[in-house]
């Protein structure tokens, strides 16, 4: 018998919070769409500010890039229930506030509720935590999230791929995040070993 997870297209939740780095979430949506993945988007209220400041975009502009867009206050949305099958959730970028809500179980919005459901259903949760420098509380929260099953993936650029632009650095980071969901975005320059040109697209 074919399991429900394999009888449908891959489905991933993308959350964009108010931390700097809105481009990571937007690029994730674009690459997932190109890969044929069904996307469910949640944009926090604070993310509306960073989208405008950093990219000149409105939430409505970004919502058009998703298969389904959910209002952050809609805690009755499909993705708030574990009975709605998804393959995981990526929060890119992930603010410290959102991280803190996740680790304490304070599901005050659809963002943290969907993340909580992802964890309780033992699905993949990838948190692109964006903050620096980090104090002990931040580090403890990340440790707690990892102990609960989340993957902490700070958006750290890889220089071994010899990026020529910010766009290439963003693509590589987002592509590595999507690797964790089994999605090959075809934008990661893979390491090929020292002295052989090092990478390939």
């Amino acid at each position: 018998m074919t399991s429900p997870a394999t009888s449908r297209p891959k489905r991933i939740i993308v959350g964009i919070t108010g931390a700097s780095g809105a481009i990571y979430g937007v690029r994730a949506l674009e690459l997932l769409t190109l890969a044929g993945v069904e996307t469910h988007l949640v944009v926090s209220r604070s993310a509306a500010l960073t989208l405008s400041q950093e990219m000149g975009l409105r939430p409505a502009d970004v919502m058009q890039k998703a298969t389904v867009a959910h209002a952050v206050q809609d805690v009755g949305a499909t993705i708030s229930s574990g009975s709605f099958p998804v393959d995981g959730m990526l929060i890119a970028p992930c603010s410290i506030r959102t991280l803190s809500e996740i680790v304490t179980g304070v599901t005050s919005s659809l963002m943290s509720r969907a993340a909580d459901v992802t964890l309780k259903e033992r699905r993949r949760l990838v948190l692109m935590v964006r903050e620096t420098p980090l104090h002990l509380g931040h580090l403890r929260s990340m440790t707690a999230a990892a102990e609960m099953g989340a993957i902490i993936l700070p958006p750290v650029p890889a220089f071994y791929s010899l990026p020529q632009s910010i766009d290439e650095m963003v693509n590589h980071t987002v592509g590595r995040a999507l690797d964790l969901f089994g999605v090959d975005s075809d934008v990661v320059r893979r390491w090929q070993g020292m002295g052989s040109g090092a990478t390939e697209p």
Side-chain angles (χ1 to χ4, degrees):
M1 178 180 293
T2 303
S3 69
T6 58
S7 62
R8 60 168 173 77
K10 193 176 284 289
R11 178 185 290 156
I12 295 175
I13 303 168
V14 176
I16 302 178
T17 73
S20 182
I23 191 171
Y24 293 111
V26 173
R27 187 60 47 80
L29 284 172
E30 294 169 345
L31 293 177
L32 287 168
T33 296
L34 288 173
V37 176
E38 179 182 321
T39 54
H40 286 251
L41 173 67
V42 185
V43 178
S44 75
R45 292 184 180 89
S46 297
L49 300 176
T50 52
L51 283 166
S52 175
Q53 173 68 26
E54 297 178 354
M55 302 186 71
L57 296 175
R58 302 167 302 161
D61 300 323
V62 181
M63 289 175 181
Q64 292 177 358
K65 297 177 181 291
T67 309
V68 181
H70 302 277
V72 71
Q73 69 272 16
D74 185 10
V75 293
T78 53
I79 58 174
S80 71
S81 173
S83 66
F84 185 72
V86 301
D87 297 286
M89 180 175 185
L90 167 68
I91 303 183
C94 180
S95 66
I96 293 296
R97 174 177 176 167
T98 298
L99 170 67
S100 299
E101 286 193 8
I102 292 168
V103 300
T104 57
V106 178
T107 55
S108 63
S109 70
L110 183 59
M111 184 78 69
S112 50
R113 170 61 186 171
D116 190 67
V117 168
T118 300
L119 287 176
K120 80 179 183 68
E121 297 294 328
R122 307 301 191 267
R123 296 165 181 162
R124 182 142 291 186
L125 175 64
V126 177
L127 305 177
M128 200 174 282
V129 179
R130 173 62 176 82
E131 188 58 88
T132 190
L134 299 164
H135 63 57
L136 185 57
H138 299 154
L139 295 169
R140 284 177 171 162
S141 292
M142 286 189 282
T143 298
E147 289 173 341
M148 294 164 68
I151 296 175
I152 308 299
L153 193 158
V156 179
F159 293 102
Y160 64 79
S161 61
L162 305 179
Q164 300 300 301
S165 66
I166 292 176
D167 194 59
E168 286 187 14
M169 288 191 285
V170 169
N171 279 344
H172 186 93
T173 299
V174 174
R176 292 289 289 117
L178 299 187
D179 281 349
L180 296 171
F181 297 96
V183 176
D184 187 353
S185 58
D186 202 31
V187 296
V188 177
R189 297 184 67 83
R190 309 285 179 186
W191 178 251
Q192 298 297 302
M194 195 70 72
S196 60
T199 59
E200 66 177 12

